[in-house]
Amino acid sequence: MSEAVREAPKKERPEFRNIHVTELSNYRMTPAAIVSILHRISGVLMFVLLPFVLYLLQNSLRSEISFAYYEGFVTYPLVKLIILALVWGFFHHFCAGIRHLVMDLHIGLDKHSARKSSVTVLVISLVLTALVALKLFGVF
């Protein structure tokens, strides 16, 4: 009976520590983590700037004079960069949202497919943003 009561040998459990702020530069995030974080950032960016965008739209539609004023306002480089940040936020949020919807259908959940789809989201959103930037800054 004493043999049955003996304890089984304990396995060494891995130690998981919290990451300190000084260790963040050594931590390598996966593309899926980067896409997830940028998806949240782009959503917050669009949500926070939505009242400002709606205000500009309302005032630009008020009269021809106000439209001409805002048309001139958009020619400033800083305003173009803000518009470009909003465009990137929209494209990234849209592409990452489609990725999440596809993953909700249990498609592409394995490690290789998730990495491939996250890199695809990053590339597509940056390429679309670059095309809008070329148009916005008058290259074509």
Side-chain angles (χ1 to χ4, degrees):
M1 184 76 173
S2 64
E3 293 176 19
V5 179
R6 286 187 194 169
E7 293 182 24
K10 292 186 178 180
K11 292 183 179 179
E12 284 292 321
R13 295 180 59 188
E15 179 183 340
F16 296 105
R17 301 179 301 126
N18 292 333
I19 297 175
H20 193 265
V21 173
T22 58
E23 299 173 330
L24 285 178
S25 62
N26 300 334
Y27 186 72
R28 185 174 160 254
M29 292 194 334
T30 63
I34 293 170
V35 167
S36 179
I37 291 169
L38 289 177
H39 183 74
R40 293 167 192 237
I41 290 171
S42 64
V44 168
L45 177 74
M46 288 190 304
F47 179 74
V48 168
L49 291 178
L50 181 65
F52 178 68
V53 170
L54 290 176
Y55 171 75
L56 291 179
L57 178 66
Q58 174 189 356
N59 285 338
S60 69
L61 295 176
R62 185 168 292 170
S63 69
E64 290 181 23
I65 295 171
S66 64
F67 179 78
Y69 172 75
Y70 285 111
E71 190 177 25
F73 180 69
V74 173
T75 60
Y76 295 121
L78 181 62
V79 175
K80 287 183 180 183
L81 288 176
I82 293 170
I83 290 171
L84 200 59
L86 278 170
V87 166
W88 168 81
F90 172 75
F91 283 140
H92 181 79
H93 201 77
F94 181 77
C95 293
I98 290 175
R99 176 182 180 262
H100 288 303
L101 286 175
V102 170
M103 291 177 81
D104 284 344
L105 297 173
H106 301 286
I107 299 171
L109 294 179
D110 60 302
K111 185 177 179 180
H112 177 69
S113 298
R115 180 179 297 265
K116 191 175 176 182
S117 67
S118 60
V119 170
T120 303
V121 164
L122 289 172
V123 168
I124 287 175
S125 64
L126 289 175
V127 166
L128 290 174
T129 304
L131 289 174
V132 170
L134 291 174
K135 181 68 175 170
L136 188 62
F137 288 101
V139 175
F140 61 78

